[in-house]
Amino acid sequence: MSQRELLHTDRVLVVEGKYDAARLSHLTDAMILLTDGFGIYKDKKRQQLLKALAKKNGLILFTDSDAAGFRIRTYITNLVGAEHVVQAYVPAIHGKEKRKPQPGKEGLLGVEGVDDAIVLQALKDALGPEADAAAAPKPAGRAITYTDLYNWKLSGTPGSAERKYALLNALGLPPRLSKKELVEALNRLYSFEELDKLQAEILK
């Protein structure tokens, strides 16, 4: 699927694990965040990030169709407020993912295991008219880039891990965000100018 054919949404897509995220990254241009399975229950910073992004952009919840997936879906919906969420459902199809030696507890395919056409249809059904909507205007000011992380000594420099941890902790963001997740989250929440000023104050 080419870049031009990616399903567009300004909402943040929330999935359970990294294999779901890898699969969906080829089908949509949405920002994708993981719950790390039931890890979301204890990760207060990730909960905080989901709340902030839900209010700003809205979420699409796309968890597996088993009992565990529905527990996570219900938890996040209650956490951020149902008014900020649309629900995408994968049908209950029996089978097993290719990478797994045996089927899951309920014998159902997860998000990573169903056909592309089913995934895309589930997203379109959840989004409704939003699926064809144009991209929302970007915040004023230029976007935050990987180069900015380097210039702020948050990546690729001596002591960058400690500086990144201090900044994310001060901003109430989860410390375990990947670099890609971090840049996407920062761009959703701040302009370059806002964050440039904040990081200078926090990390002085």
Side-chain angles (χ1 to χ4, degrees):
M1 180 172 277
S2 71
Q3 186 69 30
R4 287 181 302 172
E5 295 173 310
L6 293 179
L7 177 69
H8 171 73
T9 176
D10 288 319
R11 288 181 181 267
V12 176
L13 182 57
V14 180
V15 297
E16 292 180 53
K18 64 181 181 181
Y19 294 103
D20 300 328
R23 175 72 189 290
L24 286 161
S25 67
H26 299 294
L27 301 175
T28 174
D29 65 359
M31 176 185 175
I32 301 173
L33 277 181
L34 313 183
T35 70
D36 193 21
F38 291 140
I40 189 63
Y41 295 168
K42 294 181 179 178
D43 193 336
K44 299 300 181 187
K45 294 286 178 67
R46 194 163 289 254
Q47 290 173 22
Q48 207 170 325
L49 177 59
L50 286 175
K51 286 180 184 178
L53 291 171
K55 288 180 181 176
K56 195 170 180 71
N57 299 102
L59 306 181
I60 310 173
L61 295 187
F62 201 12
T63 59
D64 293 346
S65 56
D66 58 10
F70 272 86
R71 280 177 61 192
I72 293 167
R73 184 189 295 276
T74 301
Y75 178 82
I76 294 174
T77 301
N78 292 335
L79 176 74
V80 305
E83 68 275 17
H84 300 303
V85 172
V86 297
Q87 308 283 353
Y89 297 98
V90 64
I93 301 172
H94 287 272
K96 105 178 163 57
E97 281 79 15
K98 291 178 183 177
R99 69 179 178 86
K100 295 180 179 177
Q102 56 192 14
K105 187 176 178 182
E106 296 177 36
L108 300 174
L109 290 175
V111 171
E112 67 169 286
V114 297
D115 293 339
D116 286 355
I118 294 174
V119 171
L120 285 169
Q121 192 58 54
L123 291 173
K124 288 175 182 177
D125 289 346
L127 290 166
E130 284 184 37
D132 299 316
K138 298 294 182 188
R142 76 165 178 80
I144 297 158
T145 67
Y146 293 133
T147 303
D148 295 324
L149 298 186
Y150 179 81
N151 290 338
W152 291 328
K153 298 180 180 173
L154 301 173
S155 174
T157 58
S160 60
E162 292 79 7
R163 287 174 63 83
K164 184 176 105 168
Y165 182 86
L167 179 64
L168 295 185
N169 191 52
L171 297 177
L173 296 175
R176 289 177 58 224
L177 290 175
S178 70
K179 193 155 76 165
K180 183 175 186 290
E181 286 177 326
L182 176 58
V183 167
E184 288 184 325
L186 292 175
N187 274 307
R188 297 276 178 150
L189 299 170
Y190 304 96
S191 68
F192 166 81
E193 291 77 12
E194 288 171 335
L195 193 60
D196 189 41
K197 183 178 178 183
L198 274 173
Q199 67 84 25
E201 292 171 352
I202 293 166
L203 300 174
K204 62 187 175 184

